[in-house]
Amino acid sequence: MNRLIFRKIVNGVMLFLTALCTLATVSVLFLILGYLVYNGGKSIDWNFLTKLPLPPGEVGGGMANAIVGSATMVGLAALIGLPVGFLGGIYLAEFGGKTFAFAVRYMADLLNGVPSIVIGIFAWGIAVKPMHGYSALAGAFALSLMLIPISLRTTEQFLLTVPRSLREGALALGAPKWRVISSVVVPAAMRGILTGMILGVARVAGECAPLLFTALNNNFWARRLTEPTAALPIMIYRRAIAPYDDWHRQAWAAGLVLIAMVLVTNIAARYLLSRGISVQKG
Amino acid sequence: MSAPAVVTKSARSRRIWYGLQTGDEVAHLVTFLFAACILLLTAFLVWELWVQSAESRAKFGFHFLFTSNWDPVSGDFGALPFIYGTVVTSVVALIISIPLGVGAAIFLAELAPPRLSSACTFLVELLAAIPSVIYGLLALFTLIPLMRSYGEPFLKKTLGFLPFFDGPAYGVGYLSAGMILAVMTFPFVIAISRESLMEVPRDQREAALALGATRWEATFLVVLPYARLGILGSIFLGLARALGETMAVTMVIGNDPAIHASLLAPGYTIASVIANEFAEAGSSLHTSALIEMGLVLFFVTIVVNALARLLVLATSRKGTAQSS
Amino acid sequence: MNMSMKIVLATMAAGALVGTAAAQSLNGAGATFPAAIYGKWFEEYRKAHPKTEINYQSIGSGGGITQLTAGTVDFGASDAPMTDAEIAKLKVRPLHFPTVLGADVITYNLPVVKQPLKMDSAVVAGIYMMKIKKWNDPAIAKLNPGVKLPGDDIVVVHRSEGSGTTYIFTEYLTKTSPEWAKGPGTSKQPKWPGGLGAQGNEAVAGMVKQTPGAIGYVELGYVLQNHMQSALLKNAEGEFVEATTASVTAAAAAAAKTMPADFRVSITDAKGKGAYPAASFTWLLIPSKIQDPAKKAAIVDFLKWMLTTGQQYCANLGFAPLPKSVVDLETKQISQVQ
């Protein structure tokens, strides 16, 4: 009898502890968000969104150039990286042979696992050294390298979820294979693919390490793509480690902007995805 | 449409049929080229790292990994302090996140009602989407002051006799870096462990309960061992992330290129030293040494990632095999 | 081509012309020591000359020299004059242009200590060699009789990367402390016996400001702008001098008279009453041959502006203006930029 009560107590305690663990981990998220919203909300103002950075110690500067710079580089990276992964994913799902497809998948996984700072080194060797300068192009190149495996995996994954019957039906109607892919299979999987791509873009938008020695940073507007460019994550880093209280304020505001963008895209993407799946099943 | 053309089998129809087929050929070729491009790009990356680190590899050989002198001015480089820092911070991160993460995964997989479970999992997965630099920003202004004023003095008072908690309470250092890394590995450990646990067939659980086990006993003694490969895989995935983390760690590690036993001491990781020194590396040897460390980090994360995927794959195969 | 297409093309061409005419951008990188005043200068210069934008990234003197050598920036900046070996690596000989005078201030974070602490190089060297570990150490107490020093640990903060500010600091210590000279010595990136590393003057100031009990060395401007505490350093005459624009100017007085042609001079541990011992010039590193005529014109114009209008901004930001004799010599050097 004693033994049974002991076991029951252990049961209760352990299960309670696991609930605590969940509470602890989930509450970290709320703490993070709460802090960012509180500190960032206090700090974000019109100046921040529209003005350029001011010299050290002066109050009231902004990060307009960093917002535009980030948008430019992420946009460019998406333009380069997403189609490459997309078309590669089509190959793997629709045409792939055994060994070549395995090799491509393996290499893409490898690329995905590369630490972002190492991606920065590679981009530096390819884009900064030969061009003798830091540029938005180099930064965009580094970011696109991170988008390629995400786009590839997402495309292949969702193309494979399209039922064979859809493909076979189209083929039976006499459509050539490329037509089947472009008009039937891809549109059916598009919702999932887009979700994955959007999530990937949201992820690279927050990356800082690969930009440190590719885009460097800029206190003014970058007039050409071949000039050093400001980016939000770099600005956050530089402002946070500095002593000026106004700069800390700006770092919080930038953090809020970044996290808002990341969270909104994540939530929207998942919502899209969950709706898509139910539509497909029905 | 081509159907009538095929049926008549005239020369003209064959040409149309051939033309349509080359559409396929084109599609095949184009997508093949892009897939090949990805393969070549990755191979090129590895090759570039290998070549750019040649100067350092030639000069120091394997000793590079075991010497701790980092002296850019005199041109002597050793990677040991950085490897040590990377390993220690990751281990600290895992020590914190494994119990918390697996515990949370157990709760979410076994005990929580399905809606709560998916809602909480979604929230935890959002932690993975938060950029590293924002973790650093938060750590710098919230975690560090707390650790410096309360956390570390408390540890020194209670566990100060251990060499791990020796020295001044800087606030920054291995421990704080490990803590922030732990938060960054939560999503991996929790989400994937939960999936592994959920893949364990119901009959296993039910058999244990039928034999009179409490829920905890059924979970701990039956379900957990069954899913252990997947849980291990999730831990490795979290580890792979922690090893490569740059910005959050750079902001809280203290940037001291030396080996310290104490967790309260400042240290340095491979990713941090590259982030701090790459843009201003004076000599080609310095740059080459940094790139060589990048190569080391790359290989380690590849191996850890590969192991992780194997483990996760093994569990899901085992799960589907048994339940069918 | 119809009329509307012609209009569109003409507008685009005009826009492109206006675009290129409107913006000449230069990129520079280097020392964080003068970052506050360089930031001010480049902002004010842009207001006066809207066509020129000079983007300066403070990544450390070591970084400035590296980037200049790699050709990834148009000019560099350093508080440590380039060595002959470093100059030899450049394809185009760099010209050193002193811009301002500044001081490495020993700053610390001890809210309970109200008056400035007196320190000499033995104490500073002892702290940075991790031999003096607590604030109430006898060595510090001896120099500051009557001051109640807390028993807290000293948190040493230094630079993590190659830094001209470090060069000035270590040169001062090497000249005045035999122990330091035997140990780490003078260097942009010495082997620190311990302590926390921070990236840039900014992060050292940031770290000291946020960490009670911390000590660091930063340029005077950062101390003034952030209302941080600073120590009085013992100079060659035995006086305990506060870092001010006056004491920095006094340190440069002797050197101004005997300035070498390449402007590479050290004024640490300078003789003379009221001279601050850890003061230094800081230099812009300009290539002696610039290919692009527009860039050359912009740089030359900026240098002239810097030597005249620019010097007015010094005092507010914690720097001392260049002595007149130096300004005259530099104006002559501008003609060497081809």
Side-chain angles (χ1 to χ4, degrees):
Chain A
M1 273 316 277
N2 227 355
R3 177 105 184 115
L4 182 62
I5 295 173
F6 174 71
R7 283 168 58 209
K8 282 196 172 159
I9 293 175
V10 167
N11 184 57
V13 166
M14 292 315 274
L15 296 179
F16 175 69
L17 282 179
T18 58
L20 270 186
C21 290
T22 315
L23 191 67
T25 46
V26 171
S27 60
V28 167
L29 175 75
F30 286 111
L31 279 172
I32 292 175
L33 290 181
Y35 233 96
L36 271 170
V37 168
Y38 174 66
N39 278 312
K42 272 196 301 191
S43 321
I44 203 163
D45 58 7
W46 192 240
N47 262 358
F48 173 81
L49 294 170
T50 52
K51 289 249 175 69
L52 288 176
L54 286 177
E58 293 188 21
V59 174
M63 290 198 194
N65 60 341
I67 296 175
V68 171
S70 266
T72 314
M73 285 192 280
V74 171
L76 214 59
L79 218 63
I80 305 170
L82 294 177
V84 171
F86 179 65
L87 290 170
I90 292 181
Y91 180 82
L92 288 182
E94 304 293 319
F95 296 107
K98 284 218 81 178
T99 31
F100 181 71
F102 175 75
V104 172
R105 243 178 245 121
Y106 181 73
M107 286 301 214
D109 251 353
L110 213 72
L111 189 58
N112 195 41
V114 175
S116 56
I117 192 87
V118 177
I119 299 257
I121 295 178
F122 178 57
W124 172 85
I126 301 286
V128 174
K129 223 169 141 194
M131 273 171 55
H132 284 294
Y134 300 96
S135 61
L137 286 175
F141 176 65
L143 295 180
S144 69
L145 286 174
M146 302 179 76
L147 276 177
I148 288 175
I150 297 175
S151 162
L152 179 92
R153 202 184 309 142
T154 240
T155 308
E156 191 196 354
Q157 179 188 341
F158 282 101
L159 284 178
L160 289 176
T161 61
V162 174
R164 292 192 68 185
S165 46
L166 224 60
R167 281 189 193 78
E168 287 168 359
L171 285 169
L173 286 172
K177 188 160 185 184
W178 67 269
R179 204 58 205 283
V180 173
I181 298 174
S182 67
S183 303
V184 178
V185 184
V186 167
M190 207 54 201
R191 192 184 287 266
I193 295 176
L194 270 179
T195 311
M197 286 185 173
I198 292 173
L199 287 173
V201 168
R203 186 189 140 193
V204 300
E207 285 292 333
C208 180
L211 296 178
L212 284 176
F213 28 87
T214 47
L216 197 68
N217 202 4
N218 197 331
N219 297 326
F220 302 110
W221 298 106
R223 298 210 177 267
R224 282 169 282 271
L225 290 174
T226 48
E227 280 179 14
T229 312
L232 271 180
I234 303 182
M235 283 293 209
I236 296 177
Y237 173 59
R238 298 226 179 271
R239 293 293 182 265
I241 59 177
Y244 311 106
D245 290 324
D246 190 62
W247 278 17
H248 293 169
R249 203 186 51 85
Q250 287 181 32
W252 285 114
L256 181 64
V257 169
L258 208 54
I259 202 76
M261 184 272 306
V262 163
L263 283 182
V264 164
T265 29
N266 260 283
I267 296 173
R270 278 169 208 273
Y271 174 69
L272 258 179
L273 188 62
S274 61
R275 276 196 56 203
I277 288 177
S278 55
V279 164
Q280 271 185 346
K281 280 195 182 139
Chain B
M1 291 294 252
S2 62
V6 170
V7 168
T8 57
K9 282 196 182 156
S10 67
R12 190 166 160 269
S13 68
R14 231 174 252 143
R15 232 179 294 138
I16 298 172
W17 185 234
Y18 178 72
L20 287 164
Q21 278 188 318
T22 47
D24 276 351
E25 294 293 317
V26 167
H28 192 130
L29 191 66
V30 165
T31 53
F32 173 80
L33 281 176
F34 277 95
C37 176
I38 297 170
L39 203 156
L40 289 171
L41 207 60
T42 316
F44 189 31
L45 188 150
V46 183
W47 185 80
E48 264 282 307
L49 286 177
W50 186 257
V51 161
Q52 301 262 26
S53 61
E55 195 179 339
S56 172
R57 279 183 294 110
K59 181 151 188 214
F60 302 112
F62 268 111
H63 278 295
F64 185 67
L65 299 173
F66 303 113
T67 41
S68 26
N69 194 25
W70 186 259
D71 195 351
V73 173
S74 67
D76 190 21
F77 298 102
L80 194 58
F82 310 101
I83 297 176
Y84 176 80
T86 310
V87 169
V88 166
T89 48
S90 303
V91 166
V92 169
L94 287 181
I95 290 177
I96 298 172
S97 73
I98 292 175
L100 279 175
V102 174
I106 291 174
F107 179 77
L108 291 173
E110 304 286 309
L111 296 172
R115 282 242 293 265
L116 182 67
S117 180
S118 14
C120 283
T121 312
F122 172 64
L123 289 175
V124 168
E125 282 176 352
L126 277 183
L127 279 176
I130 298 179
S132 176
V133 72
I134 292 192
Y135 275 113
L137 174 69
L138 283 157
L140 200 55
F141 293 123
T142 56
L143 182 68
I144 302 297
L146 279 174
M147 287 303 286
R148 192 192 311 122
S149 308
Y150 306 107
E152 291 184 1
F154 174 73
L155 283 169
K156 278 168 70 75
K157 243 198 316 197
T158 50
L159 299 169
F161 58 90
L162 290 171
F164 298 123
F165 298 107
D166 200 20
Y170 290 107
V172 297
Y174 295 114
L175 184 61
S176 301
M179 287 174 75
I180 203 71
L181 279 179
V183 177
M184 298 172 91
T185 55
F186 279 160
F188 295 91
V189 175
I190 294 177
I192 299 173
S193 293
R194 173 179 168 268
E195 268 179 39
S196 303
L197 287 168
M198 287 186 355
E199 269 172 15
V200 173
R202 294 197 67 186
D203 15 345
Q204 296 288 320
R205 246 180 238 99
E206 285 169 2
L209 292 170
L211 286 172
T214 60
R215 287 206 66 184
W216 168 253
E217 283 166 351
T219 308
F220 187 67
L221 297 172
V222 178
V223 179
L224 211 57
Y226 202 93
R228 70 178 178 279
L229 289 179
I231 295 177
L232 205 60
S234 76
I235 293 172
F236 272 92
L237 275 175
L239 177 65
R241 166 117 203 234
L243 290 171
E245 254 322 308
T246 315
M247 298 321 295
V249 176
T250 310
M251 290 160 93
V252 301
I253 188 100
N255 301 339
D256 185 19
I259 299 180
H260 300 281
S262 170
L263 290 177
L264 303 184
Y268 229 151
T269 63
I270 296 178
S272 300
V273 71
I274 297 176
N276 278 336
E277 294 194 3
F278 198 80
E280 57 104 24
S283 56
S284 60
L285 184 62
H286 191 178
T287 312
S288 169
L290 289 169
I291 297 181
E292 189 180 348
M293 282 205 291
L295 196 63
V296 168
L297 185 65
F298 174 69
F299 280 139
V300 172
T301 33
I302 295 307
V303 166
V304 173
N305 256 316
L307 276 171
R309 293 204 190 281
L310 275 172
L311 286 166
V312 175
L313 203 63
T315 327
S316 59
R317 276 224 200 101
K318 189 164 131 192
T320 47
Q322 293 283 61
S323 58
S324 55
Chain C
M1 207 189 293
N2 63 9
M3 194 55 187
S4 50
M5 269 296 274
K6 283 189 193 152
I7 294 175
V8 167
L9 283 173
T11 324
M12 279 170 62
L17 278 172
V18 168
T20 47
Q24 172 61 50
S25 62
L26 293 169
N27 286 303
T32 60
F33 184 87
I37 192 159
Y38 286 3
K40 186 77 184 158
W41 277 352
F42 298 132
E43 178 71 18
E44 293 299 322
Y45 187 76
R46 190 175 71 108
K47 285 189 202 155
H49 304 76
K51 291 185 194 161
T52 314
E53 275 178 0
I54 308 178
N55 171 35
Y56 180 74
Q57 289 302 315
S58 59
I59 57 176
S61 302
I65 295 175
T66 303
Q67 300 304 338
L68 188 66
T69 315
T72 41
V73 291
D74 301 311
F75 65 91
S78 169
D79 331 302
M82 289 179 77
T83 61
D84 293 329
E86 286 169 338
I87 294 177
K89 281 197 212 161
L90 266 85
K91 280 177 267 185
V92 175
R93 190 176 57 96
L95 296 167
H96 287 74
F97 280 90
T99 51
V100 287
L101 285 159
D104 264 15
V105 177
I106 308 294
T107 181
Y108 51 88
N109 184 338
L110 286 176
V112 297
V113 175
K114 301 297 175 196
Q115 64 270 62
L117 287 177
K118 295 197 178 101
M119 294 190 187
D120 63 11
S121 65
V123 163
V124 177
I127 292 176
Y128 271 83
M129 293 184 81
M130 312 301 279
K131 300 228 173 86
I132 298 178
K133 299 202 182 153
K134 291 201 188 277
W135 282 106
N136 59 3
D137 189 281
I140 307 178
K142 201 166 76 163
L143 292 175
N144 295 279
V147 177
K148 190 152 190 331
L149 295 165
D152 300 330
D153 293 311
I154 302 183
V155 177
V156 172
V157 184
H158 56 72
R159 293 284 290 275
S160 60
E161 78 284 19
S163 150
T165 316
T166 304
Y167 184 85
I168 300 166
F169 179 66
T170 51
E171 193 186 58
Y172 155 70
L173 285 177
T174 307
K175 282 186 185 172
T176 51
S177 161
E179 256 201 87
W180 185 270
K182 267 190 291 197
T186 307
S187 169
K188 289 203 282 281
Q189 196 169 1
K191 276 194 69 62
W192 297 103
L196 307 175
Q199 238 208 340
N201 260 292
E202 298 95 341
V204 172
M207 187 117 270
V208 172
K209 197 173 167 194
Q210 287 183 342
T211 313
I215 189 171
Y217 55 91
V218 292
E219 204 285 321
L220 179 58
Y222 293 94
V223 170
L224 293 175
Q225 279 177 333
N226 293 286
H227 312 290
M228 296 166 73
Q229 294 169 284
S230 65
L232 304 174
L233 271 187
K234 193 170 178 190
N235 70 358
E237 309 292 330
E239 310 162 310
F240 287 96
V241 183
E242 187 191 352
T244 59
T245 47
S247 59
V248 168
T249 310
K257 298 197 191 89
T258 55
M259 182 65 74
D262 62 2
F263 295 99
R264 294 190 291 162
V265 68
S266 153
I267 58 173
T268 47
D269 200 38
K271 304 234 180 328
K273 284 190 76 64
Y276 186 74
S280 176
F281 284 100
T282 183
W283 294 267
L284 278 178
L285 305 166
I286 312 285
S288 49
K289 248 197 262 306
I290 301 176
Q291 302 277 31
D292 185 336
K295 280 193 181 173
K296 188 183 100 155
I299 289 183
V300 165
D301 192 66
F302 172 74
L303 287 171
K304 292 192 182 131
W305 182 92
M306 180 269 288
L307 290 169
T308 50
T309 327
Q311 298 292 308
Q312 302 164 355
Y313 295 101
C314 286
N316 277 350
L317 296 171
F319 298 91
L322 297 168
K324 176 119 193 355
S325 52
V326 176
V327 171
D328 293 334
L329 286 170
E330 277 190 66
T331 317
K332 289 204 195 96
Q333 191 180 240
I334 296 183
S335 57
Q336 286 187 34
V337 179
Q338 300 297 325

